[in-house]
Amino acid sequence: MTAEVVEIPGYVAGTWTIDPVHSDVSFAVRHLMVSKARGRFGSFEGRIVTGADPLDSSVTATIDLASIDTNNAQRDDHIRSADFFEVEKYPTMTYQSTGVRRDGDDYVVDGELTLKGVTRPVPLKLELNGFGPDPFASDPAKGARAGFTATGEIDRTEFGVTYNGPIPGGGVALGEKVQIVLEIEAVLQTS
């Protein structure tokens, strides 16, 4: 058996901090069985460690659930309530990777998502968008930025987010499946 060497152009091993100004944490869920409601979180933080072997990399992230924004203040308040996130009792959602693996030409980050005190495995399909210099670094010769896109799907009911309502003619107000899209820009820590 031979070890496969993973080569990524411009790859830099190190510890990275997620740049919330240049990143986006968003989701979509079926609404009234005819469209999708979309939202995002405005406050989050995380750390990425890229290993010498990219498959030895890891990520941790924390999302402030009160920072939800679906472009409707009334709906946002309802989602913060006990019907959904119960943010007074569970203010954050966390993700901790457990491994990175190849999936054909792609990558998957395996990890555990914790929401409302419930932890479940959630794999995220990973796209490496690139590594490059950081023009904002105090020492641009040492600074670097990296970009990642990660997508996945959860069943919200598995995390105790079960609120729903019937709609006239049959069906329910919200789907159970929630699509997750993460657009992440990270800054290499040089100190």
Side-chain angles (χ1 to χ4, degrees):
M1 199 168 175
T2 61
E4 178 183 349
V5 176
V6 177
E7 292 190 29
I8 300 166
Y11 182 83
V12 176
T15 300
W16 308 75
T17 302
I18 293 174
D19 177 357
V21 174
H22 296 101
S23 298
D24 187 68
V25 174
S26 61
F27 64 90
V29 62
R30 182 74 54 205
H31 183 249
L32 300 178
M33 299 181 65
V34 297
S35 66
K36 289 186 179 176
R38 298 182 186 281
R40 61 180 303 277
F41 294 95
S43 179
F44 51 88
E45 62 185 21
R47 185 178 84 136
I48 300 165
V49 177
T50 50
D53 177 344
L55 300 180
D56 292 333
S57 299
S58 64
V59 62
T60 57
T62 301
I63 298 168
D64 175 2
L65 293 174
S67 73
I68 189 159
D69 179 4
T70 65
N71 204 28
N72 181 292
Q74 182 179 1
R75 178 172 49 206
D76 295 345
D77 287 342
H78 188 203
I79 294 170
R80 290 181 191 107
S81 78
D83 283 345
F84 289 93
F85 289 155
E86 199 172 355
V87 298
E88 290 195 17
K89 185 174 181 181
Y90 305 103
T92 62
M93 171 172 43
T94 61
Y95 187 81
Q96 171 70 54
S97 66
T98 57
V100 179
R101 61 185 160 90
R102 296 290 300 255
D103 183 22
D105 290 337
D106 299 319
Y107 296 91
V108 173
V109 176
D110 291 309
E112 294 181 336
L113 179 70
T114 301
L115 173 62
K116 288 187 75 171
V118 177
T119 302
R120 296 273 186 265
V122 175
L124 298 172
K125 182 178 177 185
L126 179 65
E127 179 182 343
L128 302 173
N129 298 329
F131 293 81
D134 182 0
F136 309 113
S138 58
D139 183 354
K142 294 181 181 177
R145 289 197 175 235
F148 309 92
T149 300
T151 57
E153 183 177 89
I154 63 168
D155 180 333
R156 65 185 177 86
T157 64
E158 292 179 353
F159 294 91
V161 183
T162 58
Y163 177 86
N164 219 333
I167 55 175
V172 291
L174 293 174
E176 294 177 355
K177 303 293 184 192
V178 179
Q179 298 169 333
I180 300 166
V181 179
L182 310 169
E183 294 292 345
I184 302 299
E185 186 171 310
V187 179
L188 181 65
Q189 301 305 292
T190 56
S191 58

